[in-house]
Amino acid sequence: MRSAATELEYTPAEKPLAILLLEDSELDARLIRLQLEESGLVFRLDRVDNREDFLGALVPGRYDLILSDYDIPGFDGLHALNAVRRLLPDMPFLFVSGALGDERAIELLKRGATDYILKDRLERLVPSVKRALREVETELRRRQTEEALRRSEERYQLVMRATSDVVWDWELDTDTLHWSDAVEQVFGCGKKALGSGMEGWMRRIHPEDRDRVRTGIQAMIGSRADRWQDEYRFMKEDGSFAVVADRGYIVREAGGRAVRMAGAMQDVTEHKRSEEERQRLLSEARRRVEFEQQLVGIVSHDLRAPLNAILAGASMMLQRNGMESWQSKTTARILSCAERSTRLIRDLLDFTQARMSGGIPVRPASADLHELTLQVVEENRATHAERDIQVSQNGDGRGQWDADRMAQVVSNLVSNALKYSPEKTPVKVETWGEEERVLLRVHNLGEPIAADLLPRIFEPLRRGKRRSSRSDRSIGLGLYIVRELVLAHGGAVEVSSTEAEGTTFTVSLPRTAPATPEAGTGG
């Protein structure tokens, strides 16, 4: 006799499990592979990180399972899911991502995702994979059973009007109840143990559910309805209870008298557990989002306020006469550290805002990119007096942009150029207006960006090689924020970098930014 535990366990086939992974982070891919290996699964994992390679891999029969991140540059998880459901509708598809939020997670499940796993809860990965494969196996068995029932006699023709799993057929006049062979596999009990009448069935129903089920069936039989359904607890042979979804179809004579009732019981215990687990994860995701929002508020208000006081105090001290040299140097160092901390907090707030809301909000108004650029360059000339920053401007620089945010874009690019170029070389900043757009170009000489880093230079926490310096230490968010701000204005940013020509960042901005909902950054 096969136990219920054996039925619920996933038994791997002899050939390795073929898994396709859509993931742009090499570190996350390694963690996923390690989690699968530690479980003892025999598998083959193929990783892709872009739209073209992913679509090219969607060949029938090549893979048993797909794992996908949600945030892929240029190709998000929703488009990947839609492509799989269109080309391989039965393929198990699991998201392995960061916090998705309640609405997005529910929407993905509605659109056909099998499940999702948070990256900080990878211990759920293997159980979710096994559950997905079991569901595929169950679905395949269900289809085969349905096909067999269609070819069977009248009893199975009637049962096809209900969900098929454990099939039963009840002749009301004689109180004779027939069970399919599946009852032993699902519940571990033979047909004889259930008896041949309704009472044997009712004795197996949990006492708290029994009266409701009996009353419901009798009410349906006495009415004109032809369909009945209920969910209740059914005792298995080992004494435990399975949650079953039971559906029946009532056959009536011409006068309406019920003479027969056929139906099917499906064990939904695992489904109920999965739903409870899903709800638990959604609750955890909600708490995580709330924590991030609280953290943003703390960083925004409780840290920036004392830094502003430090900045103001240090600036006033530097303006005093009669300070000794060591006092001036110490005060200047305090001012520099406070300014750097303010920039780091700003970058962290922008990064968090982009991750939580899908972008950084902007408030477009009339602005002139020429003027904004000159202001930023003058500020950098004051703090980098030893550097040669060259500016050229042509055409009309006016448009509808968020002036503070665009100044942030220019400042990040100019600071980046100064940071990554030799001190004796110039940094060139160009702005020029065209008919429908305004362009910004920032160029510097020096060692080019590594070829393997260039395609991912705008990703967060990516930094190129440069001279070590404690004074200009960053956390690698500047270029990511540049891209997010440019995208929020409906523009585009690109980079080219060679040994001969140096490195050039080019920003293209439409004169009118797209309308976006206003939202604060916690300031």
Side-chain angles (χ1 to χ4, degrees):
M1 180 180 296
R2 191 176 183 185
S3 69
T6 304
E7 179 67 15
L8 290 174
E9 282 295 320
Y10 165 70
T11 303
E14 292 183 1
K15 68 174 185 177
L17 181 65
I19 303 175
L20 176 62
L21 173 62
L22 176 58
E23 174 59 71
D24 64 314
S25 169
E26 184 176 355
L27 175 59
D28 288 345
R30 290 177 182 174
L31 293 174
I32 290 171
R33 179 183 292 275
L34 181 62
Q35 193 72 31
L36 294 171
E37 290 174 347
E38 289 179 348
S39 72
L41 278 180
V42 180
F43 66 94
R44 171 175 59 86
L45 181 68
D46 295 336
R47 173 183 167 235
V48 295
D49 61 1
N50 59 75
R51 179 181 185 275
E52 291 72 20
D53 291 346
F54 180 76
L55 295 180
L58 299 183
V59 177
R62 179 179 294 180
Y63 295 101
D64 303 308
L65 182 82
I66 293 178
L67 304 177
S68 173
D69 192 4
Y70 184 82
D71 293 313
I72 301 295
F75 185 53
D76 63 28
L78 181 57
H79 287 87
L81 174 60
N82 291 338
V84 170
R85 287 294 164 256
R86 184 176 64 255
L87 300 174
L88 303 171
D90 297 325
M91 176 67 67
F93 189 105
L94 285 75
F95 280 105
V96 185
S97 186
L100 292 174
D102 292 354
E103 293 183 1
R104 182 175 295 173
I106 293 172
E107 179 64 20
L108 292 176
L109 294 173
K110 287 181 178 178
R111 288 177 176 263
T114 307
D115 203 347
Y116 78 91
I117 301 94
L118 299 178
K119 286 185 176 180
D120 59 351
R121 298 297 301 272
L122 281 180
E123 66 272 12
R124 287 196 59 250
L125 177 60
V126 173
S128 296
V129 166
K130 291 182 177 181
R131 183 166 59 249
L133 295 173
R134 284 198 303 270
E135 290 175 357
V136 170
E137 240 181 345
T138 301
E139 177 65 14
L140 179 60
R141 289 199 303 269
R142 187 185 67 83
R143 292 179 183 178
Q144 292 172 343
T145 302
E146 289 179 350
E147 182 63 23
L149 289 172
R150 279 193 292 269
R151 300 180 188 144
S152 188
E153 57 188 280
E154 180 185 6
R155 175 183 301 162
Y156 295 101
Q157 293 287 345
L158 295 171
V159 170
M160 284 306 299
R161 301 181 187 182
T163 301
S164 61
D165 199 332
V166 175
V167 179
W168 50 270
D169 186 0
W170 183 23
E171 297 177 9
L172 302 182
D173 289 341
T174 60
D175 189 26
T176 303
L177 190 60
H178 302 278
W179 297 91
S180 68
D181 295 337
V183 69
E184 184 171 341
Q185 293 181 343
V186 176
F187 301 122
C189 54
K191 299 177 184 180
K192 291 183 179 180
L194 291 172
S196 59
M198 182 182 183
E199 286 306 314
W201 173 17
M202 289 294 132
R203 281 195 301 269
R204 290 270 175 171
I205 297 177
H206 194 283
E208 295 178 2
D209 302 333
R210 188 178 300 147
D211 289 342
R212 187 196 73 247
V213 174
R214 188 194 302 271
T215 301
I217 291 176
Q218 291 174 345
M220 286 297 167
I221 291 175
S223 69
R224 289 287 182 173
D226 60 0
R227 294 182 186 275
W228 164 85
Q229 66 178 23
D230 204 343
E231 184 175 287
Y232 54 86
R233 288 162 289 181
F234 191 84
M235 189 174 66
K236 298 158 67 172
E237 188 65 18
D238 61 5
S240 64
F241 284 88
V243 180
V244 300
D246 204 347
R247 296 173 178 84
Y249 180 78
I250 302 172
V251 181
R252 299 182 183 276
E253 294 178 333
R257 187 178 71 90
V259 295
R260 191 175 184 182
M261 189 173 178
M265 299 167 62
Q266 185 178 19
D267 186 346
V268 295
T269 307
E270 187 66 21
H271 173 76
K272 297 286 285 188
R273 289 173 182 166
S274 299
E275 181 61 26
E276 291 172 358
E277 177 69 7
R278 192 171 3 255
Q279 291 300 323
R280 186 184 66 80
L281 289 174
L282 288 174
S283 178
E284 289 182 358
R286 188 183 302 111
R287 289 195 297 270
R288 181 175 179 178
V289 169
E290 292 172 352
F291 171 76
E292 290 178 351
Q293 291 173 339
Q294 292 172 356
L295 182 61
V296 169
I298 292 171
V299 172
S300 176
H301 298 285
D302 297 348
L303 292 185
R304 285 204 297 195
L307 279 174
N308 288 337
I310 294 172
L311 284 169
S315 298
M316 292 176 62
M317 291 181 65
L318 283 176
Q319 296 174 10
R320 295 178 57 187
N321 296 324
M323 292 181 64
E324 295 185 15
S325 175
W326 70 270
Q327 292 175 323
S328 298
K329 290 181 179 179
T330 301
T331 304
R333 188 175 300 118
I334 292 172
L335 182 61
S336 175
C337 291
E339 289 174 342
R340 186 167 69 252
S341 298
T342 300
R343 289 194 300 272
L344 291 175
I345 290 174
R346 182 197 62 191
D347 287 349
L348 284 171
L349 289 173
D350 288 342
F351 173 72
T352 304
Q353 180 74 29
R355 286 298 198 186
M356 290 173 58
S357 305
I360 302 176
V362 295
R363 299 172 177 85
S366 296
D368 190 318
L369 189 61
H370 294 337
E371 295 179 0
L372 292 173
T373 301
L374 284 175
Q375 293 173 7
V376 172
V377 168
E378 288 304 319
E379 292 171 1
N380 279 272
R381 283 172 174 167
T383 56
H384 298 83
E386 76 285 358
R387 297 302 301 270
D388 179 15
I389 306 177
Q390 303 173 1
V391 180
S392 64
Q393 298 180 327
N394 295 282
D396 184 1
R398 292 173 297 179
Q400 293 289 319
W401 309 300
D402 187 323
D404 290 339
R405 290 303 194 177
M406 288 314 306
Q408 187 177 350
V409 169
V410 179
S411 178
N412 283 1
L413 291 178
V414 172
S415 299
N416 193 70
L418 292 169
K419 186 186 305 179
Y420 286 87
S421 61
E423 293 183 357
K424 301 300 183 181
T425 61
V427 169
K428 297 180 180 180
V429 183
E430 302 175 66
T431 56
W432 69 97
E434 297 183 350
E435 183 177 355
E436 296 183 353
R437 62 177 184 167
V438 181
L439 303 177
L440 165 69
R441 177 177 293 166
V442 180
H443 172 267
N444 66 272
L445 297 172
E447 184 179 352
I449 300 172
D452 60 335
L453 179 62
L454 197 60
R456 306 187 301 278
I457 193 68
F458 293 106
E459 296 177 11
L461 309 179
R462 298 280 184 181
R463 292 184 292 181
K465 296 180 180 178
R466 59 179 174 88
R467 302 181 306 279
S468 298
S469 173
R470 292 180 63 86
S471 64
D472 62 3
R473 187 170 297 166
S474 69
I475 54 176
L477 294 176
L479 292 180
Y480 169 78
I481 292 171
V482 165
R483 182 187 65 177
E484 291 297 313
L485 289 175
V486 171
L487 291 176
H489 283 86
V493 58
E494 58 185 24
V495 59
S496 63
S497 187
T498 64
E499 185 76 36
E501 298 182 1
T503 299
T504 302
F505 285 86
T506 302
V507 174
S508 174
L509 293 170
R511 291 190 182 273
T512 302
T516 56
E518 286 195 1
T521 58

